[in-house]
C-alpha cells in the first residue's frame, strides 16, 4: 500500500494566516501540521508517499523533507492546480499508485493513540473497495456521518445531516483497493464545484465494497482546519509532550521505530539537528548509547 497526503486546498477558514502560507505548513505546537498525518502513514507501514499541494506552497514541503531518503522514505510531490475536491487526489495519484492499494489522508487531520498502528495495519491488509475511519463526536451534524447496522456494518454516509442517524463522524483518512481508484473518474462535481470523496465512497458502498473502522477510546482525532481547532490541537500536543516527555509525530523517531532507518542513520540525523530546539534535543536523546 502507498500513501497519499493531500495538502492542497485554499484554507479559507484560516485566513489571513493562509493568505501567504499553506494551512498544512502552519505550526501545531512545535512542528508543521502536515508532520502529524505524515507520521500516521509511516506508522501504517507506508514508505512510498505522494504529497499533493498547490503550486504556491509545494516547494515548502519539498524543502523540509526532500526526497525522504534521510528518513528511509520515498517521497514524491504533485501539484493540485485548483482546490477541486478530495477525490481529485485519487486521480492525481493514480499513476503514483501503480498496482498498489492506497491510503489517503488529509493534511489537516491529526490521529494519535497507542493502538493506532496495529489498527491501521489490520485495515490495510483487508481493504476491498473503500475502508473509511470513524470517530464518535458530540456534534455529528457538522461532519459526514456513517450510518451503521446493529452489527457495525457500514450502510451509508450522510454529509452534515440535520438529523444524524449515528454519532460516528467519518474522518479524513481513507483506504482504497487499487481498482477503486478509477471510481474517482466516474463522479461529477458537486454543487460547490468539487469532486467529493463521499460520492466515490457511495459508489463503492452501493456495490457492497465498503467498510468502517471505528477509532474509539484511547485514540484522539483532531481536525485542525479552523483557528480554534488549530489552537486546541497545539494545546493537546503541548500537554501530552510535557507530561509524557515524548514527542508526537517526530518523523525521525517514527522512521527508526518502524525500521526504516538504523541507529547509524538516526545518529547522523541527530548530528544534523544542532539548533538547540526541544525537538532537536529530543531526537539526539533517541540515539542508542
Amino acid at each position: 500500500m502507498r500513501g497519499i497526503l493531500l495538502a492542497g486546498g485554499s484554507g479559507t477558514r484560516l485566513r489571513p494566516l493562509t493568505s501567504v502560507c499553506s494551512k498544512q505548513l502552519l505550526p501545531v505546537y512545535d512542528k508543521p501540521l502536515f508532520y502529524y498525518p505524515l507520521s500516521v502513514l509511516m506508522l501504517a507501514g507506508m514508505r512510498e508517499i505522494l504529497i499533493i499541494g498547490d503550486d504556491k506552497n509545494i516547494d515548502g514541503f519539498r524543502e523540509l523533507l526532500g526526497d525522504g531518503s534521510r528518513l528511509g522514505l520515498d517521497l514524491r510531490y504533485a501539484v493540485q492546480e485548483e482546490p477541486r475536491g478530495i477525490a481529485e487526489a485519487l486521480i492525481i495519484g493514480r499513476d503514483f499508485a501503480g498496482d498498489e492499494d492506497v491510503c489517503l489522508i488529509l493534511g489537516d487531520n491529526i490521529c494519535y493513540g497507542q493502538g493506532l498502528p496495529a489498527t491501521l495495519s489490520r485495515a490495510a491488509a483487508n481493504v476491498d473497495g473503500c475502508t473509511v475511519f470513524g470517530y464518535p463526536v458530540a456534534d455529528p451534524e457538522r461532519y459526514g456521518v456513517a450510518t451503521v447496522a446493529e452489527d457495525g456494518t457500514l450502510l451509508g454516509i450522510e454529509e452534515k445531516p440535520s438529523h444524524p442517524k449515528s454519532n460516528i463522524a467519518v474522518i479524513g483518512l481513507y483506504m482504497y483497493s487499487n481498482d477503486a481508484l478509477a471510481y474517482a473518474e466516474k463522479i461529477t462535481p458537486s454543487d460547490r464545484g468539487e469532486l467529493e470523496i463521499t460520492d466515490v465512497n457511495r459508489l463503492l458502498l452501493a456495490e457492497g465494497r465498503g467498510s468502517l473502522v471505528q477509532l474509539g477510546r484511547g485514540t484522539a482525532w483532531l481536525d485542525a482546519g479552523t483557528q480554534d481547532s488549530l489552537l486546541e490541537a497545539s494545546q493537546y500536543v503541548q500537554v501530552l509532550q510535557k507530561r509524557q516527555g515524548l514527542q508526537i509525530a517526530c518523523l525521525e523517531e517514527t522512521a527508526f521505530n518502524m525500521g526504516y532507518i538504523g541507529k547509524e542513520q538516526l545518529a547522523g540525523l541527530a548530528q544534523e539537528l544542532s539548533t538547540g530546539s526541544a525537538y532537536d534535543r529530543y531526537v539526539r536523546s533517541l540515539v542508542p548509547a
Side-chain angles (χ1 to χ4, degrees), residues 28 33 36-37 40 105-112 135 137 143 171-172 215 219-226 228-238 240 248:
V28 170
L33 171 54
Y36 298 87
V40 170
I105 191 167
L106 304 189
D108 59 1
N109 273 232
I110 298 171
C111 296
Y112 177 72
Y135 192 83
V137 295
Y143 304 95
I171 70 173
L215 304 177
T219 303
W221 168 63
L222 302 166
D223 174 4
T226 67
D228 284 345
S229 59
L230 189 67
L231 176 60
E232 289 165 2
S234 290
Q235 292 171 330
Y236 173 81
V237 172
Q238 179 196 37
L240 280 186
I248 297 174

Side-chain angles (χ1 to χ4, degrees), residues 128-140:
D128 175 27
C130 70
T131 296
V132 302
F133 292 78
Y135 192 83
V137 295
D139 49 355

Side-chain angles (χ1 to χ4, degrees), residues 90-147:
L90 300 179
I91 298 173
I92 294 171
R94 196 169 179 192
D95 288 342
F96 161 78
D99 296 327
E100 299 288 330
D101 297 341
V102 160
C103 180
L104 169 64
I105 191 167
L106 304 189
D108 59 1
N109 273 232
I110 298 171
C111 296
Y112 177 72
Q114 186 174 4
L116 185 61
T119 298
L120 295 172
S121 295
R122 285 194 299 270
N126 296 294
V127 63
D128 175 27
C130 70
T131 296
V132 302
F133 292 78
Y135 192 83
V137 295
D139 49 355
E141 64 278 358
R142 293 181 52 221
Y143 304 95
V145 176
T147 305

Side-chain angles (χ1 to χ4, degrees), residues 196-219:
E196 307 289 353
I197 199 69
T198 297
D199 290 340
V200 174
N201 296 337
R202 283 174 178 157
L203 288 176
L204 292 160
L205 280 172
E207 297 179 359
R209 301 181 62 213
S211 61
L212 171 72
V213 174
Q214 290 197 45
L215 304 177
R217 291 177 181 239
T219 303

Side-chain angles (χ1 to χ4, degrees), residues 8 59 187:
D59 286 340
I187 63 173

Side-chain angles (χ1 to χ4, degrees), residues 4-271:
I4 297 177
L5 194 161
L6 180 57
S10 55
T12 53
R13 292 182 298 168
L14 280 166
R15 288 182 180 168
L17 291 173
T18 52
S19 297
V20 294
C21 177
S22 168
K23 168 174 62 176
Q24 293 82 8
L25 291 171
L26 293 174
V28 170
Y29 188 49
D30 59 351
K31 58 190 75 72
L33 171 54
F34 86 100
Y35 271 39
Y36 298 87
L38 179 58
S39 72
V40 170
L41 295 178
M42 294 171 67
L43 289 170
M46 275 156 265
R47 302 178 69 169
E48 296 173 282
I49 298 170
L50 177 69
I51 297 176
I52 300 175
D54 61 31
D55 184 58
K56 183 172 69 173
N57 293 290
I58 194 67
D59 286 340
F61 301 103
R62 188 181 284 111
E63 287 175 17
L64 274 168
L65 298 177
D67 64 3
S69 58
R70 61 190 290 276
L71 297 170
L73 304 177
D74 177 5
L75 295 182
R76 304 178 208 178
Y77 302 86
V79 171
Q80 185 181 37
E81 300 292 347
E82 299 288 340
R84 299 190 189 96
I86 297 170
E88 190 182 36
L90 300 179
I91 298 173
I92 294 171
R94 196 169 179 192
D95 288 342
F96 161 78
D99 296 327
E100 299 288 330
D101 297 341
V102 160
C103 180
L104 169 64
I105 191 167
L106 304 189
D108 59 1
N109 273 232
I110 298 171
C111 296
Y112 177 72
Q114 186 174 4
L116 185 61
T119 298
L120 295 172
S121 295
R122 285 194 299 270
N126 296 294
V127 63
D128 175 27
C130 70
T131 296
V132 302
F133 292 78
Y135 192 83
V137 295
D139 49 355
E141 64 278 358
R142 293 181 52 221
Y143 304 95
V145 176
T147 305
V148 295
E150 290 185 3
D151 63 358
T153 301
L154 179 62
L155 301 176
I157 301 172
E158 296 180 286
E159 276 299 322
K160 299 181 180 179
S162 300
H163 304 285
K165 297 176 182 176
S166 81
N167 70 332
I168 305 300
V170 176
I171 70 173
L173 175 64
Y174 317 87
M175 290 182 178
Y176 295 95
S177 53
N178 185 264
D179 66 297
L181 302 182
Y183 284 61
E185 298 178 351
K186 297 181 180 182
I187 63 173
T188 56
S190 64
D191 292 342
R192 60 178 186 166
E194 296 190 2
L195 297 176
E196 307 289 353
I197 199 69
T198 297
D199 290 340
V200 174
N201 296 337
R202 283 174 178 157
L203 288 176
L204 292 160
L205 280 172
E207 297 179 359
R209 301 181 62 213
S211 61
L212 171 72
V213 174
Q214 290 197 45
L215 304 177
R217 291 177 181 239
T219 303
W221 168 63
L222 302 166
D223 174 4
T226 67
Q227 281 90 349
D228 284 345
S229 59
L230 189 67
L231 176 60
E232 289 165 2
S234 290
Q235 292 171 330
Y236 173 81
V237 172
Q238 179 196 37
V239 168
L240 280 186
Q241 290 188 172
K242 285 195 170 184
R243 286 185 178 176
Q244 297 179 344
L246 302 173
Q247 279 275 338
I248 297 174
C250 174
L251 301 184
E252 291 82 359
E253 180 179 28
T254 303
F256 180 65
N257 289 342
M258 293 297 295
Y260 300 164
I261 60 174
K263 62 180 182 180
E264 290 185 1
Q265 282 179 281
L266 179 63
L269 292 174
Q271 194 169 13

